[in-house]
Amino acid sequence: MTLSVALFVLRIIGGGLLLLFFGLVSWFIVQDMRATIASMAERGKRYGQLEVIANDAGAPAVGTIIPLLPLTGIGRASSNTVVLPDGYASSEHALIAYRSGQWWLEDQGSRNGTLLNGVEVDTPVVVSAGDLIAVGGTRLKISFDVE
C-alpha cells in the first residue's frame, strides 16, 4: 500500500467518523426536543378542579372554579394555589398532591384541622371525584377531568 492510498483511506475513515458524530448529535437534539414537547404538553394539561360550594368568609366566592395542579396548596398565605382569607385557616393549611397515579389530601399540621366528607384528616388520604373538603368555613368539591 502506498502512502497516497493510506492517506486516502484515513481521510475516508475520518470523514465517516465525522458524519457519525454529527448524526449522533442530531439524534440527541431530536430526542431532547421530543422530551421538551412532551413536558410542555404535560405542564399545560388540566388535572381537575375544586369548586367552592360554601364560604363563610366570602372569598373566593361560591361557584368559583379553581384548577387543580399536581401540587395544590390550600391556606391563608398568598403562596397557596387556593388562598382563603379565613381566620380558621392556617397559612399552609392543607395540600392536595398527585402521587403514584392518585390524588392525596394531607393536612399540613393546621390548628383547626381539615375535613374530608365530614371526617378529620390525620394522615394523607386518597380523594375521589365528588369528595368534599372543608377548611375553616370553606367547603370545596373536587372533580377530575376525564380524557
Side-chain angles (χ1 to χ4, degrees):
M1 184 187 280
T2 65
L3 182 60
S4 62
V5 172
L7 288 174
F8 178 72
V9 170
L10 285 175
R11 283 183 185 165
I12 295 293
I13 292 172
L17 289 174
L18 190 60
L19 286 174
L20 178 65
F21 172 75
F22 284 131
L24 283 173
V25 168
S26 299
W27 183 79
F28 282 119
I29 289 172
V30 167
Q31 294 304 315
D32 186 54
M33 289 174 61
R34 286 182 181 162
T36 302
I37 290 169
S39 173
M40 290 175 69
E42 183 69 22
R43 191 175 306 154
K45 178 182 175 186
R46 285 199 45 162
Y47 293 96
Q49 63 188 25
L50 293 171
E51 179 183 359
V52 180
I53 59 171
N55 193 346
D56 295 344
V62 173
T64 301
I65 303 294
I66 303 157
L68 275 178
L69 301 175
L71 203 59
T72 303
I74 303 171
R76 268 194 345 257
S78 61
S79 61
N80 289 300
T81 308
V82 182
V83 179
L84 303 175
D86 184 341
Y88 291 104
S90 299
S91 293
E92 305 289 333
H93 196 98
L95 186 68
I96 300 172
Y98 188 72
R99 292 183 289 224
S100 303
Q102 295 181 315
W103 288 94
W104 294 79
L105 173 66
E106 180 178 350
D107 184 75
Q108 297 290 298
S110 65
R111 220 179 255 199
N112 296 312
T114 303
L115 301 178
L116 177 64
N117 298 323
V119 178
E120 188 166 355
V121 175
D122 297 347
T123 60
V125 294
V126 175
V127 292
S128 302
D131 282 349
L132 298 177
I133 300 167
V135 174
T138 305
R139 308 286 179 268
L140 305 165
K141 182 177 181 181
I142 192 166
S143 61
F144 305 112
D145 292 339
V146 179
E147 294 186 18

